[in-house]
Structures are given as structure tokens and as C-alpha cells.
Amino acid sequence: MKKDSIIKKAILLFCLAGIVYACINEHDLLDQDDGQLTVSEAQQWYESNLKGAAIELRAGGKDSKIKVKPNWTRSYTKKDKDYETVEVGLASNRGFGFFDTESKEKFDETQDSRYLKSITRLITRKNRKTNETDGFLMTIIPDLAYLESTKFEPFKQNYYLERDKKFTGHILFHNLDGDFVNGWGYKDGKLYTVSNPNDDSPKLELRTAPYCDSWCVLSYITTINNSYVAEREVVIMPNTYVYEYYCYSRCDGGDGGNGGDGGEGLYIGGGGSGGNGGGNENGYSAPKAKALFKNGNLSDAQWKKVEDWLNKILKDCVGNKLYAALSANGKSYSITFDSGSSGAIFSYLNNAFVFGNNSESNYFFHEMWHAYQHAQETNPPFYNAKINMEIEAHYAQYLYIKSQPEYKTNSKWAEWYTKDPLLNAIVGIDTYINAKGVLNSGQTSTGLDNYLKNDVITAFRNYKNGSGQNVYNANDYKYDANRKGTDNFKYLQTLSKDC
């Protein structure tokens, strides 16, 4: 089990008056590649699904949308074994672009607008197996070092299906409703973070394995609203913009993530105009999984994996009640698999579960626990007790995993719970309460409360990821001191009552 990390590095979105900075003349330098999906077919698909309307890209808060349209004269095709794509430059009524804080500082120092480069393209994607077509927006945000290493030509080797092996920066995806869906961080061509939708504050996810942080863009929206203009080189027009914050959550995959070229860190679902819809109704039956996840587009192998996890969880008394409670709460949960993650995430923003390819049933159990916690609480108290929630979820997961056949002497889990200071502190809760969240004989609520504050929470606060970053910091993972002792295990008490 791995934990969250806090890597707070703002990405700034800059809107330029009367200019479309997101698509510059480097489109002319991109190679055309033969593919079965032609530009005319992509244009027909776009016109059929959007009826010629502009896409309103959300670039900041609720009212911060920029209207963009594809410029079909600047397009090219790519393909791999799974997809055929057409990538198209954009024209917009208001200029926009993304850049990170280091690039912004360099621009402030030099006034060289080349430091503010990013690019946004319309991607039309055809699945070569199913022949289904969908579309979305992709934004490439190079970091400062990559900008300079490419002599300010960072886009020539970066496409939806391909990455420059040296690319460092972020790639974001928005659906055709203009809403952010997901995003990815790269370092030297290797995927290392995943970004998920968030609200302004606080961060919306509690998760099992990836390291996560709250990641905000500062969006500059020009006050000048022009007619659509074609791509051209950036020109800075001061005093013509307003700004506001727009936040994401970003999670890395643990020990560097899977990385890789092509097929990694791609757009995952997200709906929007012309989307593919739900899962394969004629595929693997997975009755338990599909009863819980009414919005999932998984392969048969993935549905089987989730069904196998649930079959295992349902053999556990608490797990059985946990599944029943989630199935009956009236919420609609979605599920996806992310090849760039090694763990699992539950997002409260959209009731979405995301699993890495190496996830296990206990990861699923942990995220189901968070979904249950959130369903029982109103948001403000919940967000003010996130470390309390993590303590209970980690302890419930420990109780589940130690009852499983794989938890045995010399197993990876037994070793981690022994050697990892945080996991070992979770094990120490056994001294104070039993598997039903009730105090053991001779123990007091005050003693438990002191152990949680002095040992368990200290272990959470001291936990650092592989990059040396504190994960469960006090700003993002607040402790509610009003929840004393066994109050921190009230959901364990409820679900284990008759077990």
C-alpha cells in the first residue's frame, strides 16, 4: 500500500487578447501520416455530433469558458494498433494557454513570450476494433526545461498516440462539453502522475496507493471578446484579462509509474458529446459488478477482475455489508482502469472508481470504504476529518487483508505491515479495539485517542513518498479532534454489528 503525496506546483492558464496562443504555427511542421480515419471523415463526425457549434472549453470557474472551433486546414492523422486519430488545430474567440510557475517566472524575468507556450488540439479518435468514434480536446503543457531543450519547438514530436522520449510536462484532456476529464504528468517521456477533476478546495479524493495532491491552475481570461481568429504567434497584450483558480487532483503511480510511449496516459471516458456510452452489455456478465457500477466501459477481462474482487469481498462479513450498503444508497458509481496507476482512487466529485492494472481486492475494499464514508457524511464535516477517515479506512483494510489467505508469514503484505512505520502504526490499533471497533478489555477511549494522536497521526504526517515529499500534510488532511477515541471507527461499528 502506498500513500498520498503533496506536490503543489501551480499551472497557470493565460488568455491573450485577440490571439489564439494554444495553437501556433508549429502545426505546419507536423508530419502527415497515413491512417484509415481521414480528415474529411473526422470533420463529418464533428459536424454530425456538434452541428457546427463551438466547443465551450472550461478554462477556469463556472463562467470561464472559451469558445473554440477546429481549424480543419491544420490537421493530420496518426494510428497505432488500437486507434486511428485526426488531430486538428483550434481557432477561438478568446486566446488561451497554459504554463507552469517556472515558465511564468522565466517570462517575468525575460519578457520572452516563447516561455508561455502550450497547444490545444481537437482529437477525433476511431477504435480500430469496434469502429466507434469519439472526440475530445488535448492540451500539451511543456515544462521550462523541455521548452528550452527543444529550442522552443516542443510540439513537433508529441501527439495523442506518441510522446517524445524526452517530453516533460503535462497533458490534459477535456470532453466536448468543455469540462476537464483527466490529465497526465510526464518526466523524460515516462508517465508519472494522473490528474482528476476537482473543485476549488479542498481536494476530493482519498486513495490507496498513488501519491496525490491538490493541483491548481490560475486561469487568465481575456476581457476582449473577438471573432474567431486563426493560429498565430503569441503577442502579449497586458491589462486585458481577469483570472481565477481552477483546481485538479494529481496522483502519481507510486514508484515512478508505468510510463512508456504510446497507449499510456490517454483520454479515459468522461462523456461529452458523441461519447461511446456504457460498457459492453453483450460481454462478460459480471452481475455483482454491473449492479454496483451502472456507468462503466470495461473490457471483458476488466469486468471479470472486478467481479472476482467482489466475490472475494462478499465472503467477508463486513465486506458483504459494505457492498450491500453501496448498492442500496441510490448513487450512480462509475469505474475505469488506468494503466498508468499502480493503485486505486475513489473520486467524490463524480463517484468514480479508478484502478491500476496491479490493483487487488483489498485496494477495492479500501476505496469502497471511502465511498461508504462519504455517503454517510455531509461535505464540510467530512473534509475537516479526512485524516480520521483515512485512519478508519486503513484499519478496515488491514482487518480485511489479514483475514485473507495471502496474508501470511513472509508475504508482501505481512512484511509491509511489519516494516512500514505507518502500516505498523495501523496494526497497533489492535491493542485498543477489536474488529468491531469496540474497546478491548482494560483499554480506555482516552488511551485510544492518545495513541491515534501521538502514534498513528504522527506516522501519517511523517510519511514521505519516494521523492521525499510529505504526503498526509495537515492542510489537505485535517484532523477533527472532536471525534474522540472510538468515534473514529463508527462506520466499522455499524458494518460489523452482526458479524
Side-chain angles (χ1 to χ4, degrees), residues 384-466:
N384 290 327
K386 288 177 68 177
I387 202 70
N388 308 67
M389 299 295 173
E390 281 291 355
I391 290 171
E392 185 185 46
H394 276 78
Y395 185 62
Q397 181 184 16
Y398 162 67
L399 294 175
Y400 169 78
I401 189 64
K402 79 170 185 176
S403 70
Q404 301 302 310
E406 60 263 33
Y407 190 90
K408 55 187 176 183
T409 304
N410 298 325
S411 71
K412 66 175 183 179
W413 288 106
E415 184 175 354
W416 287 353
Y417 275 102
T418 299
K419 295 183 178 181
D420 184 281
L422 173 52
L423 300 185
N424 191 248
I426 295 297
V427 173
I429 296 174
D430 270 346
T431 302
Y432 298 89
I433 61 175
N434 61 23
K436 294 189 175 184
V438 177
L439 286 171
N440 292 325
S441 177
Q443 299 296 334
T444 65
S445 183
T446 300
L448 170 61
D449 199 49
N450 289 336
Y451 178 73
L452 295 180
K453 289 188 292 186
N454 298 330
D455 293 81
V456 179
I457 294 177
T458 298
F460 271 104
R461 301 295 189 220
N462 289 339
Y463 183 85
K464 295 182 179 180
N465 66 10

Coordinates of all heavy atoms in Angstrom, one line a residue, residues 384-466:
N384 N -13.2 18.2 6.9 CA -12.5 18.6 8.1 C -12.0 17.4 8.9 O -11.5 17.6 10.0 CB -13.4 19.5 9.0 CG -13.5 20.9 8.3 OD1 -12.7 21.4 7.6 ND2 -14.7 21.5 8.5
A385 N -12.3 16.2 8.4 CA -11.9 15.0 9.2 C -11.3 14.0 8.3 O -11.4 12.8 8.5 CB -13.1 14.4 9.9
K386 N -10.5 14.4 7.3 CA -10.0 13.5 6.3 C -9.0 12.5 6.8 O -8.9 11.4 6.4 CB -9.5 14.2 5.1 CG -10.6 14.8 4.2 CD -10.0 15.7 3.1 CE -9.4 14.8 2.0 NZ -8.9 15.6 0.9
I387 N -8.2 13.0 7.8 CA -7.2 12.1 8.4 C -7.9 11.0 9.3 O -7.5 9.9 9.3 CB -6.1 12.8 9.2 CG1 -4.9 11.9 9.3 CG2 -6.6 13.3 10.5 CD1 -4.1 11.7 8.0
N388 N -9.0 11.4 9.9 CA -9.8 10.5 10.7 C -10.4 9.4 9.8 O -10.4 8.2 10.1 CB -11.0 11.2 11.4 CG -10.6 12.4 12.2 OD1 -10.1 13.4 11.6 ND2 -10.7 12.3 13.5
M389 N -10.8 9.8 8.6 CA -11.4 8.9 7.6 C -10.3 7.9 7.1 O -10.6 6.7 6.9 CB -12.0 9.7 6.4 CG -13.1 10.6 6.8 SD -14.6 9.7 7.4 CE -15.6 11.0 7.9
E390 N -9.1 8.4 6.9 CA -8.1 7.6 6.4 C -7.7 6.5 7.5 O -7.4 5.4 7.2 CB -6.8 8.4 6.1 CG -6.9 9.1 4.7 CD -6.8 8.1 3.6 OE1 -6.7 6.9 3.8 OE2 -7.0 8.5 2.4
I391 N -7.7 6.9 8.7 CA -7.4 6.0 9.8 C -8.3 4.8 9.8 O -7.9 3.7 9.9 CB -7.4 6.7 11.2 CG1 -6.2 7.7 11.3 CG2 -7.3 5.7 12.3 CD1 -6.3 8.6 12.5
E392 N -9.6 5.1 9.8 CA -10.6 4.1 9.8 C -10.5 3.2 8.5 O -10.6 2.0 8.6 CB -12.0 4.6 9.9 CG -13.1 3.5 10.0 CD -14.5 4.1 10.0 OE1 -14.8 4.9 9.1 OE2 -15.3 3.7 10.9
A393 N -10.4 3.8 7.3 CA -10.3 3.0 6.1 C -9.0 2.1 6.1 O -9.1 1.0 5.7 CB -10.3 4.0 4.9
H394 N -7.9 2.7 6.6 CA -6.7 1.9 6.6 C -6.9 0.7 7.6 O -6.4 -0.4 7.3 CB -5.5 2.7 7.0 CG -4.9 3.4 5.9 ND1 -5.4 4.6 5.4 CD2 -3.8 3.2 5.2 CE1 -4.6 5.0 4.4 NE2 -3.6 4.2 4.2
Y395 N -7.5 1.0 8.7 CA -7.7 -0.1 9.7 C -8.7 -1.2 9.2 O -8.4 -2.4 9.4 CB -8.2 0.5 11.1 CG -8.3 -0.6 12.2 CD1 -7.1 -1.3 12.6 CD2 -9.5 -0.9 12.7 CE1 -7.2 -2.2 13.6 CE2 -9.6 -1.9 13.7 CZ -8.4 -2.5 14.1 OH -8.5 -3.5 15.1
A396 N -9.8 -0.7 8.6 CA -10.7 -1.7 8.0 C -10.0 -2.5 6.9 O -10.3 -3.7 6.8 CB -11.9 -0.9 7.4
Q397 N -9.2 -1.9 6.1 CA -8.5 -2.6 5.1 C -7.5 -3.6 5.7 O -7.4 -4.8 5.2 CB -7.7 -1.7 4.2 CG -6.9 -2.3 3.1 CD -6.1 -1.4 2.2 OE1 -5.9 -0.3 2.7 NE2 -5.7 -1.8 1.1
Y398 N -6.9 -3.2 6.8 CA -6.0 -4.2 7.5 C -6.7 -5.4 8.0 O -6.3 -6.5 7.9 CB -5.2 -3.4 8.6 CG -4.6 -4.3 9.6 CD1 -3.6 -5.2 9.3 CD2 -5.1 -4.4 10.9 CE1 -3.0 -6.0 10.3 CE2 -4.6 -5.2 11.9 CZ -3.5 -6.0 11.6 OH -3.0 -6.8 12.5
L399 N -7.9 -5.1 8.6 CA -8.7 -6.3 9.1 C -9.1 -7.2 8.0 O -9.1 -8.4 8.2 CB -9.9 -5.7 9.8 CG -9.7 -4.9 11.1 CD1 -11.0 -4.4 11.6 CD2 -9.0 -5.8 12.2
Y400 N -9.4 -6.6 6.8 CA -9.8 -7.4 5.7 C -8.6 -8.2 5.2 O -8.7 -9.5 5.0 CB -10.4 -6.5 4.6 CG -10.6 -7.3 3.3 CD1 -11.7 -8.1 3.1 CD2 -9.7 -7.1 2.2 CE1 -11.8 -8.8 1.9 CE2 -9.8 -7.8 1.0 CZ -10.9 -8.6 0.9 OH -11.1 -9.3 -0.3
I401 N -7.5 -7.6 4.9 CA -6.4 -8.3 4.3 C -5.8 -9.3 5.2 O -5.4 -10.4 4.7 CB -5.3 -7.3 3.8 CG1 -4.2 -8.0 3.0 CG2 -4.7 -6.6 5.0 CD1 -4.7 -8.5 1.7
K402 N -5.8 -9.1 6.5 CA -5.2 -10.1 7.4 C -6.0 -11.3 7.5 O -5.6 -12.4 8.0 CB -4.8 -9.5 8.8 CG -6.0 -9.4 9.7 CD -5.5 -9.0 11.1 CE -6.6 -9.0 12.2 NZ -6.0 -8.7 13.5
S403 N -7.3 -11.3 7.1 CA -8.2 -12.4 7.1 C -8.1 -13.3 5.8 O -8.6 -14.3 5.8 CB -9.6 -12.0 7.3 OG -10.1 -11.4 6.2
Q404 N -7.3 -12.8 4.9 CA -7.2 -13.4 3.6 C -6.0 -14.4 3.5 O -5.1 -14.3 4.3 CB -7.0 -12.4 2.5 CG -8.1 -11.3 2.4 CD -9.5 -12.0 2.2 OE1 -9.7 -12.8 1.3 NE2 -10.5 -11.6 3.0
P405 N -6.1 -15.4 2.7 CA -5.1 -16.4 2.6 C -3.7 -15.8 2.2 O -2.7 -16.4 2.7 CB -5.6 -17.4 1.5 CG -7.0 -17.2 1.4 CD -7.3 -15.7 1.8
E406 N -3.7 -14.7 1.5 CA -2.4 -14.2 1.1 C -1.7 -13.5 2.2 O -0.5 -13.2 2.1 CB -2.6 -13.2 -0.1 CG -3.5 -12.0 0.2 CD -4.9 -12.2 -0.3 OE1 -5.4 -13.4 -0.3 OE2 -5.5 -11.3 -0.7
Y407 N -2.4 -13.2 3.3 CA -1.7 -12.5 4.4 C -1.2 -13.6 5.3 O -1.8 -14.2 6.2 CB -2.7 -11.6 5.2 CG -2.0 -10.8 6.2 CD1 -1.5 -9.5 5.9 CD2 -1.8 -11.2 7.5 CE1 -0.9 -8.7 6.8 CE2 -1.2 -10.4 8.5 CZ -0.7 -9.1 8.1 OH -0.1 -8.3 9.0
K408 N 0.1 -13.9 5.1 CA 0.7 -15.0 5.9 C 2.2 -14.6 6.1 O 2.7 -13.6 5.6 CB 0.7 -16.3 5.1 CG 1.2 -16.2 3.7 CD 1.0 -17.5 2.9 CE 1.5 -17.4 1.5 NZ 1.2 -18.6 0.6
T409 N 2.8 -15.4 6.9 CA 4.2 -15.0 7.3 C 5.1 -14.9 6.0 O 5.0 -15.8 5.1 CB 4.8 -16.1 8.2 OG1 4.0 -16.2 9.3 CG2 6.2 -15.8 8.6
N410 N 5.9 -13.9 5.9 CA 6.8 -13.6 4.8 C 6.1 -13.2 3.5 O 6.7 -13.0 2.5 CB 7.6 -14.9 4.5 CG 8.5 -15.3 5.6 OD1 9.0 -14.4 6.4 ND2 8.7 -16.6 5.8
S411 N 4.7 -13.0 3.6 CA 4.1 -12.4 2.4 C 4.4 -10.9 2.3 O 4.9 -10.3 3.3 CB 2.5 -12.6 2.5 OG 2.0 -11.7 3.5
K412 N 4.2 -10.4 1.1 CA 4.5 -8.9 0.9 C 3.7 -8.1 1.9 O 4.2 -7.1 2.4 CB 4.3 -8.5 -0.5 CG 2.8 -8.6 -1.0 CD 2.6 -8.0 -2.4 CE 1.2 -8.0 -2.8 NZ 1.0 -7.4 -4.2
W413 N 2.4 -8.4 2.1 CA 1.6 -7.6 3.0 C 2.0 -7.7 4.4 O 2.1 -6.7 5.2 CB 0.1 -8.0 2.8 CG -0.4 -7.5 1.5 CD1 -0.7 -8.3 0.4 CD2 -0.7 -6.2 1.2 NE1 -1.2 -7.5 -0.6 CE2 -1.2 -6.2 -0.2 CE3 -0.7 -5.0 1.8 CZ2 -1.6 -5.0 -0.8 CZ3 -1.1 -3.8 1.2 CH2 -1.5 -3.9 -0.2
A414 N 2.3 -9.0 4.9 CA 2.8 -9.1 6.3 C 4.1 -8.4 6.5 O 4.3 -7.8 7.5 CB 3.0 -10.6 6.5
E415 N 4.9 -8.4 5.5 CA 6.2 -7.7 5.6 C 6.0 -6.1 5.7 O 6.6 -5.4 6.5 CB 7.1 -8.0 4.4 CG 8.5 -7.4 4.5 CD 9.4 -7.9 3.4 OE1 9.0 -8.8 2.6 OE2 10.5 -7.3 3.3
W416 N 5.1 -5.6 4.8 CA 4.8 -4.2 4.8 C 4.2 -3.7 6.1 O 4.6 -2.7 6.6 CB 3.9 -3.8 3.6 CG 4.6 -3.9 2.3 CD1 5.9 -4.1 2.1 CD2 4.0 -3.7 1.0 NE1 6.2 -4.1 0.7 CE2 5.0 -3.9 0.0 CE3 2.7 -3.5 0.6 CZ2 4.7 -3.8 -1.3 CZ3 2.4 -3.4 -0.8 CH2 3.5 -3.6 -1.7
Y417 N 3.3 -4.5 6.6 CA 2.6 -4.1 7.9 C 3.5 -4.2 9.1 O 3.3 -3.6 10.1 CB 1.3 -5.0 8.1 CG 0.1 -4.4 7.4 CD1 -0.3 -5.0 6.2 CD2 -0.6 -3.3 7.9 CE1 -1.4 -4.5 5.6 CE2 -1.7 -2.8 7.2 CZ -2.1 -3.4 6.1 OH -3.2 -2.9 5.4
T418 N 4.6 -4.9 8.9 CA 5.6 -5.0 9.9 C 6.7 -3.9 9.8 O 7.1 -3.3 10.8 CB 6.3 -6.4 9.9 OG1 5.4 -7.4 10.1 CG2 7.4 -6.5 11.0
K419 N 7.1 -3.7 8.6 CA 8.3 -2.8 8.4 C 7.9 -1.3 8.1 O 8.7 -0.4 8.5 CB 9.2 -3.3 7.3 CG 9.8 -4.7 7.6 CD 10.7 -5.1 6.5 CE 11.4 -6.4 6.9 NZ 12.3 -6.9 5.8
D420 N 6.8 -1.1 7.5 CA 6.4 0.3 7.2 C 5.9 1.0 8.5 O 4.9 0.5 9.1 CB 5.3 0.3 6.1 CG 4.9 1.7 5.7 OD1 4.2 2.4 6.4 OD2 5.4 2.1 4.6
P421 N 6.5 2.1 8.9 CA 6.0 2.8 10.1 C 4.6 3.1 10.2 O 3.9 3.0 11.2 CB 6.9 4.0 10.2 CG 8.1 3.7 9.4 CD 7.6 2.8 8.2
L422 N 4.0 3.6 9.0 CA 2.6 3.9 9.0 C 1.7 2.7 9.1 O 0.8 2.7 10.0 CB 2.3 4.7 7.8 CG 0.8 5.0 7.5 CD1 0.2 5.7 8.7 CD2 0.6 5.9 6.3
L423 N 2.0 1.7 8.3 CA 1.2 0.5 8.4 C 1.3 -0.2 9.7 O 0.4 -0.8 10.2 CB 1.6 -0.4 7.2 CG 1.4 0.1 5.8 CD1 1.7 -0.9 4.8 CD2 0.0 0.7 5.6
N424 N 2.5 -0.2 10.3 CA 2.7 -0.8 11.6 C 1.9 0.0 12.7 O 1.4 -0.7 13.6 CB 4.2 -0.8 11.9 CG 4.5 -1.7 13.2 OD1 4.9 -1.2 14.2 ND2 4.3 -3.0 13.0
A425 N 1.8 1.3 12.5 CA 1.0 2.1 13.5 C -0.5 1.7 13.4 O -1.2 1.6 14.4 CB 1.2 3.6 13.2
I426 N -0.9 1.3 12.1 CA -2.3 0.9 12.0 C -2.5 -0.4 12.7 O -3.5 -0.7 13.4 CB -2.6 0.7 10.5 CG1 -2.6 2.1 9.7 CG2 -3.9 0.0 10.2 CD1 -3.6 3.1 10.2
V427 N -1.5 -1.3 12.6 CA -1.6 -2.6 13.3 C -1.7 -2.4 14.8 O -2.5 -3.1 15.5 CB -0.4 -3.5 13.0 CG1 -0.4 -4.8 13.8 CG2 -0.3 -3.8 11.5
G428 N -1.1 -1.4 15.3 CA -1.1 -1.1 16.7 C -2.5 -0.8 17.3 O -2.7 -0.8 18.5
I429 N -3.4 -0.4 16.4 CA -4.8 -0.1 16.9 C -5.4 -1.3 17.5 O -6.3 -1.2 18.3 CB -5.6 0.5 15.7 CG1 -5.0 1.8 15.2 CG2 -7.0 0.7 16.1 CD1 -5.6 2.4 13.9
D430 N -5.0 -2.5 17.0 CA -5.5 -3.8 17.6 C -5.4 -3.8 19.1 O -6.1 -4.5 19.7 CB -4.7 -5.0 17.0 CG -5.3 -5.5 15.7 OD1 -6.5 -5.1 15.4 OD2 -4.7 -6.2 15.0
T431 N -4.4 -3.2 19.6 CA -4.2 -3.2 21.1 C -5.4 -2.6 21.8 O -5.7 -3.0 22.9 CB -2.9 -2.4 21.5 OG1 -1.8 -3.0 20.8 CG2 -2.6 -2.4 23.0
Y432 N -6.0 -1.6 21.2 CA -7.0 -0.8 21.8 C -8.4 -1.2 21.5 O -9.3 -1.1 22.3 CB -6.8 0.7 21.5 CG -5.5 1.2 22.0 CD1 -4.3 1.1 21.2 CD2 -5.3 1.7 23.3 CE1 -3.1 1.6 21.7 CE2 -4.1 2.2 23.7 CZ -3.0 2.1 22.9 OH -1.8 2.5 23.4
I433 N -8.7 -1.7 20.3 CA -10.1 -2.0 19.9 C -10.0 -3.4 19.2 O -9.0 -3.8 18.7 CB -10.7 -1.0 18.9 CG1 -9.9 -0.8 17.6 CG2 -10.9 0.4 19.7 CD1 -10.6 0.1 16.6
N434 N -11.2 -4.0 19.1 CA -11.3 -5.2 18.4 C -11.8 -5.0 17.0 O -12.0 -3.9 16.5 CB -12.2 -6.2 19.1 CG -13.7 -5.7 19.3 OD1 -14.1 -4.8 18.5 ND2 -14.4 -6.2 20.3
A435 N -12.1 -6.1 16.3 CA -12.5 -6.0 14.8 C -13.9 -5.3 14.6 O -14.3 -5.1 13.5 CB -12.5 -7.4 14.2
K436 N -14.6 -5.1 15.7 CA -15.9 -4.4 15.6 C -15.8 -2.9 16.1 O -16.8 -2.3 16.2 CB -16.9 -5.1 16.5 CG -17.3 -6.5 15.9 CD -18.5 -7.1 16.7 CE -18.9 -8.4 16.0 NZ -20.1 -9.0 16.6
G437 N -14.6 -2.4 16.3 CA -14.4 -1.1 16.7 C -14.8 -0.8 18.1 O -15.0 0.4 18.5
V438 N -14.8 -1.8 18.9 CA -15.2 -1.7 20.4 C -13.9 -1.8 21.2 O -13.0 -2.6 20.9 CB -16.2 -2.8 20.8 CG1 -16.5 -2.7 22.3 CG2 -17.5 -2.6 20.0
L439 N -13.8 -1.1 22.3 CA -12.6 -1.1 23.1 C -12.4 -2.5 23.7 O -13.3 -3.2 24.1 CB -12.8 -0.1 24.3 CG -12.6 1.4 24.0 CD1 -13.0 2.2 25.2 CD2 -11.2 1.7 23.5
N440 N -11.1 -2.9 23.7 CA -10.7 -4.1 24.3 C -10.8 -4.0 25.8 O -10.7 -2.9 26.4 CB -9.3 -4.5 23.9 CG -9.2 -4.9 22.4 OD1 -10.1 -5.5 21.9 ND2 -8.1 -4.6 21.8
S441 N -10.8 -5.1 26.5 CA -10.9 -5.1 28.0 C -9.6 -4.4 28.5 O -8.5 -4.7 28.1 CB -11.0 -6.5 28.5 OG -10.9 -6.6 29.9
G442 N -9.8 -3.5 29.5 CA -8.7 -2.8 30.1 C -8.3 -1.6 29.4 O -7.4 -0.8 29.9
Q443 N -8.8 -1.3 28.2 CA -8.4 -0.1 27.4 C -9.5 1.0 27.6 O -10.7 0.7 27.9 CB -8.3 -0.4 26.0 CG -7.2 -1.5 25.7 CD -5.8 -1.0 26.0 OE1 -5.6 0.2 26.1 NE2 -4.9 -1.9 26.3
T444 N -9.1 2.2 27.5 CA -10.0 3.3 27.6 C -10.0 4.2 26.3 O -9.1 4.1 25.5 CB -9.5 4.3 28.7 OG1 -8.2 4.8 28.4 CG2 -9.4 3.5 30.1
S445 N -11.1 4.9 26.2 CA -11.2 5.8 25.0 C -10.1 6.8 25.0 O -9.6 7.2 23.9 CB -12.6 6.5 25.0 OG -12.7 7.2 23.8
T446 N -9.7 7.3 26.2 CA -8.6 8.3 26.2 C -7.3 7.7 25.8 O -6.5 8.3 25.1 CB -8.5 8.8 27.7 OG1 -9.7 9.4 28.1 CG2 -7.3 9.8 27.8
G447 N -7.1 6.4 26.2 CA -5.8 5.8 25.8 C -5.8 5.6 24.3 O -4.8 5.8 23.6
L448 N -6.9 5.2 23.7 CA -7.0 5.0 22.2 C -6.8 6.4 21.5 O -6.1 6.5 20.5 CB -8.4 4.5 21.8 CG -8.7 4.5 20.3 CD1 -7.7 3.6 19.5 CD2 -10.1 3.9 20.1
D449 N -7.5 7.4 22.1 CA -7.4 8.7 21.5 C -5.9 9.2 21.5 O -5.4 9.8 20.5 CB -8.2 9.7 22.3 CG -8.6 11.0 21.4 OD1 -9.0 10.8 20.3 OD2 -8.4 12.1 22.0
N450 N -5.2 9.0 22.6 CA -3.8 9.4 22.7 C -2.9 8.6 21.7 O -2.0 9.2 21.1 CB -3.3 9.2 24.1 CG -3.9 10.2 25.1 OD1 -4.3 11.3 24.7 ND2 -3.9 9.8 26.4
Y451 N -3.2 7.3 21.5 CA -2.4 6.5 20.6 C -2.7 7.1 19.1 O -1.7 7.2 18.4 CB -2.8 5.1 20.7 CG -2.1 4.2 19.7 CD1 -0.7 3.9 19.8 CD2 -2.7 3.7 18.5 CE1 0.0 3.2 18.9 CE2 -2.1 2.9 17.6 CZ -0.7 2.7 17.8 OH 0.0 1.9 16.9
L452 N -3.9 7.4 18.8 CA -4.2 7.9 17.5 C -3.5 9.2 17.2 O -2.9 9.4 16.1 CB -5.7 8.1 17.3 CG -6.6 6.8 17.3 CD1 -8.1 7.1 17.1 CD2 -6.1 5.8 16.3
K453 N -3.5 10.1 18.2 CA -2.9 11.4 18.0 C -1.4 11.3 18.0 O -0.7 12.0 17.2 CB -3.4 12.4 19.1 CG -4.8 12.8 18.9 CD -5.2 13.9 19.8 CE -5.3 13.4 21.3 NZ -5.8 14.5 22.2
N454 N -0.8 10.6 19.0 CA 0.6 10.6 19.2 C 1.4 9.6 18.3 O 2.6 9.8 18.0 CB 0.9 10.2 20.6 CG 0.4 11.3 21.6 OD1 0.3 12.4 21.2 ND2 0.1 10.8 22.8
D455 N 0.7 8.5 17.8 CA 1.4 7.5 17.1 C 0.9 7.4 15.6 O 1.7 7.5 14.7 CB 1.3 6.1 17.8 CG 2.0 6.1 19.1 OD1 1.5 6.6 20.1 OD2 3.1 5.6 19.1
V456 N -0.4 7.2 15.5 CA -1.0 7.0 14.2 C -0.9 8.2 13.3 O -0.4 8.2 12.2 CB -2.4 6.4 14.2 CG1 -3.0 6.2 12.8 CG2 -2.4 5.1 15.0
I457 N -1.4 9.3 13.8 CA -1.4 10.6 13.0 C 0.0 11.1 12.8 O 0.3 11.6 11.7 CB -2.3 11.6 13.8 CG1 -3.8 11.2 13.8 CG2 -2.1 13.0 13.0 CD1 -4.7 12.2 14.5
T458 N 0.9 10.9 13.8 CA 2.3 11.2 13.6 C 2.9 10.4 12.5 O 3.6 10.9 11.6 CB 3.1 11.0 14.9 OG1 2.6 11.8 15.9 CG2 4.5 11.3 14.7
A459 N 2.5 9.1 12.4 CA 3.0 8.3 11.3 C 2.5 8.8 9.9 O 3.2 8.8 8.9 CB 2.6 6.8 11.5
F460 N 1.2 9.2 9.9 CA 0.7 9.7 8.7 C 1.4 11.0 8.3 O 1.8 11.2 7.1 CB -0.8 10.1 8.8 CG -1.7 8.9 8.5 CD1 -2.4 8.2 9.5 CD2 -2.0 8.6 7.2 CE1 -3.2 7.1 9.2 CE2 -2.9 7.5 6.9 CZ -3.5 6.8 7.9
R461 N 1.6 11.9 9.2 CA 2.3 13.2 8.9 C 3.7 13.0 8.5 O 4.2 13.8 7.7 CB 2.2 14.1 10.2 CG 0.8 14.4 10.7 CD 0.0 15.2 9.7 NE -1.2 15.7 10.3 CZ -2.4 15.8 9.7 NH1 -2.5 15.3 8.4 NH2 -3.5 16.2 10.3
N462 N 4.4 12.0 9.0 CA 5.8 11.8 8.7 C 6.0 11.0 7.5 O 7.1 10.9 7.0 CB 6.5 11.0 9.9 CG 6.7 11.9 11.1 OD1 6.6 13.1 11.0 ND2 6.8 11.3 12.3
Y463 N 4.9 10.4 6.9 CA 5.1 9.6 5.7 C 5.6 10.4 4.6 O 5.0 11.5 4.3 CB 3.8 8.9 5.4 CG 4.0 7.9 4.2 CD1 4.5 6.7 4.4 CD2 3.8 8.4 2.9 CE1 4.7 5.8 3.3 CE2 4.0 7.6 1.8 CZ 4.5 6.3 2.0 OH 4.7 5.5 0.9
K464 N 6.6 10.0 3.8 CA 7.1 10.6 2.7 C 7.1 9.7 1.5 O 7.4 8.5 1.7 CB 8.5 11.2 2.9 CG 8.5 12.3 4.0 CD 9.9 12.9 4.1 CE 9.9 14.0 5.2 NZ 11.2 14.6 5.3
N465 N 6.9 10.2 0.3 CA 7.0 9.3 -0.9 C 8.4 9.2 -1.3 O 9.3 9.6 -0.7 CB 6.1 9.9 -2.0 CG 6.6 11.2 -2.5 OD1 7.7 11.7 -2.2 ND2 5.8 11.8 -3.3
G466 N 8.6 8.5 -2.5 CA 9.9 8.2 -2.9 C 10.7 9.5 -3.3 O 11.9 9.5 -3.4

